[in-house]
Structure formats: structure tokens, C-alpha cells
């Protein structure tokens, strides 16, 4: 098996791995967001802030929804990550040329894992793109706010921090997230094609066996 094929498989595996990690990160953010809303609501009530029962109920429901979504996304991502761990360790520990049988086994195993979780993985891709766009928009908003605050800032101030701190950080996170999500989508299209061809092969074999 050529080194180029092995390298291509490594890139697909890394893209898959990064996508799962990104989604687990977004799950952690949703979890933190939900907890923050609930804690802030209770602190506001304890401080005597005037909040209507409807607003309190809406905040608590939103917070609980964020916590549930966060937990679900983290545990689902961890499940997919466990399925990749064995292949990833074998790939990283491989020394010298990889035999064709070994690489074929890795590809078959990863395809089976992808087929089993294809629907959820497709949602993960969409979540990553949406999250990347959010961070990119946040970075642009930070940049605009920083530029608007510069005239009022004497020396290093909030405007300078926004322009050279928050803006590039959030925009960088957004661009990297979108890059890996779109890159994985390209690999996923290849895996879908492989599964389709494998399915046609299985169907041809089944018809051949039934005709005997």
C-alpha cells in the first residue's frame, strides 16, 4: 500500500477526530450556558431583583434545555470518540510501511463506525459549521465595537483589547471550526460513496447466491 494512501487515511481520521472534539466543546459551552442562566436567575431572585414568574420560568426552562443538550452532545461525542480510539492508536503506533491488509481493516472498521453513526455525524457537521459562523460573527462584532470605542479610549483600553484580543481570537476559532467541518464534509462524501459501492457489492453477492 502506498504511503500516499496511508497519509490520506490519516488525514481522514484526524478530521473525524477533530470534528468530534469540536462538537464536545460546543456541548460543554451549551452546558455552561445553561448553568449560567439558572445560577444568574437564582442570584437575581436572592438579590431582590424584580422578575416576573414567567421570566423566571422561561430562564429556568432555557437553562435546563441547555444543560440537557450539553450533556447529550458530550456523551454522544464521547461514544463516537471511543469507536475511533482503537484505530487512532493503531495508526499512531504503526512503524514502517503499513501492510495493505492492515490499512484495509482500518478503513472497513472506520466505515462501519461511520455507517452506524452517520445521522448523528451529519448533525455534528452542521453544528460545527453553525458554531464556526457564530464565532466568526462574534469576532467581527468585537472588531466593530473595538473600532467604535477607540476614539474614547486613551491609550490601551477596551477598544484596543477588543481589536487585538477578542476579535482575532473569536474569528480564528470560527475560521478553524468551519475549515475542519467543511474538510470533514468532503471526506464524509467519500465515505458515503464507499458505503454505496459496498452496498452494491453486497447486493450483487446476495443475488448471485440466491440464483444458485
Amino acid at each position: 500500500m502506498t504511503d500516499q494512501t496511508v497519509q490520506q487515511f490519516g488525514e481522514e481520521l484526524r478530521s473525524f477526530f477533530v470534528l468530534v472534539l469540536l462538537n464536545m466543546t460546543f456541548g460543554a459551552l451549551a452546558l455552561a450556558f445553561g448553568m449560567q442562566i439558572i445560577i444568574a436567575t437564582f442570584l437575581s431572585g436572592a438579590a431582590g431583583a424584580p422578575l416576573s414568574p414567567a421570566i423566571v420560568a422561561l430562564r429556568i426552562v432555557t437553562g435546563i434545555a441547555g444543560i440537557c443538550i450539553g450533556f447529550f452532545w458530550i456523551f454522544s461525542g464521547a461514544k463516537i470518540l471511543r469507536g475511533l480510539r482503537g484505530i487512532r492508536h493503531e495508526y499512531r503506533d504503526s512503524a514502517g510501511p503499513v501492510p495493505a491488509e492492515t490499512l484495509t481493516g482500518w478503513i472497513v472498521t472506520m466505515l462501519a463506525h461511520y455507517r452506524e453513526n452517520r445521522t448523528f455525524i451529519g448533525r455534528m457537521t452542521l453544528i460545527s459549521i453553525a458554531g464556526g459562523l457564530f464565532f466568526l460573527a462574534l469576532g467581527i462584532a468585537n472588531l466593530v465595537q473595538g473600532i467604535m470605542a477607540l476614539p474614547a479610549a486613551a491609550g490601551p483600553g477596551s477598544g484596543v483589547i477588543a481589536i487585538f484580543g477578542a476579535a482575532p481570537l473569536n474569528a480564528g476559532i470560527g475560521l478553524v471550526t468551519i475549515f475542519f467541518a467543511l474538510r470533514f464534509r468532503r471526506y464524509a462524501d467519500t465515505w458515503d460513496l464507499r458505503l454505496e459501492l459496498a452496498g452494491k457489492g453486497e447486493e450483487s453477492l446476495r443475488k448471485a447466491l440466491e440464483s444458485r
Side-chain angles (χ1 to χ4, degrees):
M1 192 65 64
T2 64
D3 293 338
Q4 184 177 0
T5 306
V6 176
Q7 183 179 0
Q8 174 68 21
F9 173 81
E11 292 177 357
E12 295 178 5
L13 184 60
R14 280 190 293 271
S15 179
F16 201 169
F17 184 76
V18 171
L19 180 76
V20 177
L21 289 183
L22 287 173
N23 275 263
M24 293 179 68
T25 301
F26 290 139
L29 291 175
L31 176 62
F33 175 74
M35 295 179 64
Q36 180 183 8
I37 290 179
I38 293 178
I39 293 173
T41 301
F42 281 112
L43 290 178
S44 298
L51 294 175
S52 66
I55 294 179
V56 172
L58 178 61
R59 288 186 178 182
I60 292 178
V61 170
T62 303
I64 293 175
I67 291 174
C68 292
I69 292 174
F71 270 122
F72 170 77
W73 220 250
I74 292 173
F75 286 125
S76 299
K79 175 186 174 184
I80 295 178
L81 205 59
R82 283 194 299 270
L84 293 175
R85 188 175 303 164
I87 309 174
R88 189 165 178 264
H89 286 170
E90 290 182 14
Y91 175 79
R92 293 175 60 183
D93 295 339
S94 60
V98 177
E101 296 80 5
T102 301
L103 181 58
T104 301
W106 291 345
I107 293 175
V108 170
T109 302
M110 191 163 70
L111 278 178
H113 186 57
Y114 172 75
R115 177 168 53 185
E116 182 180 354
N117 302 279
R118 178 161 46 177
T119 301
F120 183 76
I121 291 172
R123 294 171 184 169
M124 290 174 64
T125 307
L126 295 177
I127 290 294
S128 292
I129 294 175
L133 290 174
F134 171 79
F135 275 101
L136 181 59
L138 187 60
I140 295 174
N142 292 144
L143 180 61
V144 173
Q145 291 174 357
I147 293 175
M148 294 179 63
L150 278 179
S158 59
V160 176
I161 294 175
I163 293 175
F164 296 101
L169 176 62
N170 289 321
I173 293 174
L175 290 174
V176 169
T177 302
I178 294 173
F179 169 77
F180 276 102
L182 294 179
R183 187 180 186 185
F184 174 81
R185 183 64 263 172
R186 177 165 56 88
Y187 293 143
D189 291 339
T190 302
W191 296 342
D192 288 333
L193 178 60
R194 292 172 183 170
L195 289 175
E196 181 181 353
L197 294 175
K200 291 180 179 179
E202 293 174 358
E203 180 66 17
S204 300
L205 177 60
R206 183 186 64 81
K207 291 181 178 179
L209 292 174
E210 289 177 351
S211 63
R212 297 179 67 179

